[in-house]
Amino acid sequence: MTRIALNNGNASTINRSTIKGLGQASYEWIKWDFEGEGVGAVTWNKIFSDLNVSNTNKNKKYFTWGIALHILSDTFAHKTYRKSDNKLIVHEDHYTNPNTQIPGADVITVVKGRWLVAGHAVDYSIDCLLTNNYGDCAEIINALEDQTYTSNSELFLKKRLSQYVQSNGGTVTSYVRNANYN
């Protein structure tokens, strides 16, 4: 997504073979979403008219990077577990089993470490934006390394984190291993 942002919202030059870890289905969905003159069925003119800003390449870049930031921060809300008891953190409307789940996937006070690491990852991603570098798994690794947990209740595990890092060409550090849940 950040590569599309750096290309001002244009996905036509994005090649799956140059993006480590991007599956075929995700690639096709992203390409489809950006194949027209906008995002999905909404044109750039409509998007920026609704936001009351100009339809410029710079704004397309920032809007698309915003989508990437949403995806990045959502990484810590979904398929994440509380480390102290290995309970899956779910949305309230999916909460069905108190023995294996806890509600609050989008609640920042539920296993607060998720929110803290997500915030650091977003900061690193914005650094990439400001220097015109696409994002990759380094933002998550750096955020995990920056994060100091203050209590066991803030520790979390992310499903398939090590697999994601490896498939993106990153190094599975001790921080990644400590936050990984297969």
Side-chain angles (χ1 to χ4, degrees):
M1 194 60 64
T2 58
R3 292 169 197 246
I4 297 169
L6 291 176
N7 200 30
N8 303 315
N10 182 342
S12 64
T13 62
I14 303 303
N15 186 330
R16 179 175 169 261
S17 65
T18 63
I19 304 173
K20 294 178 182 174
L22 182 61
Q24 184 65 34
S26 295
Y27 172 75
E28 289 174 9
W29 174 79
I30 291 167
K31 288 288 276 191
W32 174 85
D33 235 11
F34 283 89
E35 72 182 356
E37 182 50 36
V39 181
V42 184
T43 67
W44 287 119
N45 284 334
K46 173 72 170 143
I47 290 168
F48 295 122
S49 172
D50 288 351
L51 295 172
N52 199 28
V53 296
S54 300
N55 180 355
T56 65
N57 282 339
K58 185 176 184 179
N59 285 339
K60 290 175 187 177
K61 173 182 173 179
Y62 292 147
F63 184 87
T64 307
W65 204 284
I67 295 170
L69 292 177
H70 181 103
I71 294 167
L72 175 60
S73 60
D74 252 10
T75 297
F76 299 95
H78 305 287
K79 291 194 175 32
T80 308
Y81 296 77
R82 183 169 57 192
K83 190 169 187 173
S84 63
D85 57 10
N86 288 337
K87 287 187 178 182
L88 178 63
I89 305 164
V90 297
H91 289 283
E92 286 76 6
D93 59 339
H94 291 111
Y95 179 62
T96 58
N97 187 339
N99 294 319
T100 61
Q101 300 172 327
I102 58 172
D106 288 330
V107 179
I108 64 174
T109 56
V110 174
V111 190
K112 191 175 179 183
R114 300 174 308 136
W115 177 75
L116 296 171
V117 172
H120 283 281
V122 164
D123 288 343
Y124 280 113
S125 182
I126 291 172
D127 288 343
C128 291
L129 168 65
L130 296 175
T131 57
N132 287 315
N133 291 299
Y134 64 84
D136 57 20
C137 62
E139 293 78 38
I140 292 174
I141 295 169
N142 291 338
L144 286 166
E145 291 175 356
D146 282 354
Q147 180 55 44
T148 303
Y149 297 116
T150 57
S151 73
N152 193 44
S153 66
E154 293 183 357
L155 294 173
F156 68 92
L157 299 169
K158 174 66 187 149
K159 186 142 180 121
R160 295 186 299 274
L161 179 61
S162 292
Q163 176 186 344
Y164 167 77
V165 168
Q166 285 177 324
S167 70
N168 280 275
T171 301
V172 177
T173 65
S174 61
Y175 298 98
V176 172
R177 277 192 297 280
N178 288 336
N180 184 64
Y181 184 92
N182 286 324

